[in-house]
Amino acid sequence: MSTRARTLDRSSRTTARWSRRAVGVIVFAALFEALGRAGLVDGGFLPPASEVLLRAGELVLDPAFRTHAATSLLAWAIGLAVAALIAVPLGLLLGSVPVIDSATRAIVEFLRPIPSVALIPLVALVIGTGLQLRVTLVIYASLWPILYNTMYGLRGVDPVAKESLRSYGFRGPSVLWWVSLPSAAPFIMTGFRLATGVALILTVSTEIVAGRGQGIGVFIFFAGIAVPARMADILAGVVWVGLFGVVVNSLLVAAERRLFTWQHARLGSPAGAPLAAGAGR
């Protein structure tokens, strides 16, 4: 097959994939709209999709909501970046030094299952309830998918490649840098992609449970306790959270497809499909 034919085939598959997704969204919105318009559900609890989308559009023009959104995204970005800076080196260390992995395994397995939301009271008492609370919990929750995918990726490194480099006189750190890290990079990227969703969930959840000041979660919380509850505002806020998650995931999938096509081809998996399982929080 010629290069042009392969390009056209790939383009047609991409178009078909996005078309199916668009149809799914339209059908879901139509069902949402029908439930509200038919009176099957109280409009005060579940407004029609058209009202929710209209309100979501109005929120973009609201400076107060934009401030809420910017605050949430700041906490999300800082927490995710710090988690990656901690998890990748730690994963490389644990995945390449069995002695350290064995010594710390019990501690890691004890901490990993603890729900991040359960730590809100403790963290709030220690460091307060501002931006630092959200960032801390995002770091904790996002750490695990990146850490475990990094360790998982190191286990799949071709031992022949490592031995070949050692035969030329390279030792531990050099082998790790030139062979292990590039081989594990697709799995690290998958862990990071999983962590972006986890970080977004924790940011908004923490704001709803214990947020003060600004944040989309705070906006949703106060819309919920209003009398009567502003359901259109609540659902519009949820729409923007979901859209942000979709956009970020799509960008990361595109980056994976461009950077690690060779890895997906070797494993026979579709570009953008997760290469390893991550831990949800």
Side-chain angles (χ1 to χ4, degrees), residues 27-278:
V27 170
F28 177 76
L31 291 174
F32 201 136
E33 181 77 14
L35 285 174
R37 296 298 179 186
L40 299 176
V41 180
D42 187 346
F45 293 99
L46 188 65
S50 57
E51 293 184 15
V52 174
L53 294 177
L54 177 62
R55 182 56 182 151
E58 292 173 348
L59 288 178
V60 179
L61 305 176
D62 185 351
F65 181 80
R66 292 202 298 267
T67 302
H68 283 300
T71 302
S72 294
L73 296 184
L74 179 63
W76 171 84
I78 294 174
L80 190 61
V82 174
L85 291 174
I86 295 173
V88 173
L90 184 60
L92 292 174
L93 179 64
L94 297 180
S96 58
V97 184
V99 174
I100 298 178
D101 183 28
S102 299
T104 59
R105 174 68 63 173
I107 298 173
V108 171
E109 291 300 329
F110 171 76
L111 293 174
R112 184 173 65 89
I114 299 175
S116 302
V117 177
L119 298 176
I120 289 177
L122 174 62
V123 178
L125 286 172
V126 174
I127 65 174
T129 59
L131 181 66
Q132 63 272 25
L133 171 64
R134 284 166 267 188
V135 170
T136 301
L137 292 176
V138 168
I139 292 171
Y140 180 81
S142 304
L143 187 76
W144 307 110
I146 304 174
L147 175 65
Y148 271 79
N149 275 276
T150 302
M151 295 171 64
Y152 182 90
L154 287 179
R155 295 192 188 106
V157 176
D158 186 358
V160 175
K162 293 194 290 187
E163 290 302 323
S164 298
L165 204 61
R166 291 191 183 104
S167 68
Y168 285 98
F170 291 91
R171 290 297 175 261
S174 297
V175 174
L176 183 66
W177 177 258
W178 292 109
V179 175
S180 299
L181 184 58
S183 180
F187 297 90
I188 297 173
M189 184 66 174
T190 297
F192 183 79
R193 184 156 64 89
L194 294 170
T196 58
V198 173
L200 187 59
I201 292 169
L202 257 295
T203 300
V204 178
S205 299
T206 303
E207 289 171 348
I208 292 174
V209 175
R212 297 292 185 274
Q214 303 295 330
I216 293 180
V218 176
F219 172 83
I220 292 173
F221 173 76
F222 281 106
I225 64 173
V227 181
R230 303 194 305 272
M231 290 304 301
D233 281 0
I234 294 173
L235 295 176
V238 171
V239 165
W240 280 115
V241 172
L243 284 175
F244 177 76
V246 169
V247 170
V248 171
N249 184 69
S250 298
L251 291 174
L252 291 176
V253 167
E256 277 189 281
R257 186 181 300 119
R258 181 172 293 275
L259 294 173
F260 307 121
T261 303
W262 55 270
Q263 177 73 353
H264 291 286
R266 183 174 70 85
L267 296 177
S269 60
L275 299 175

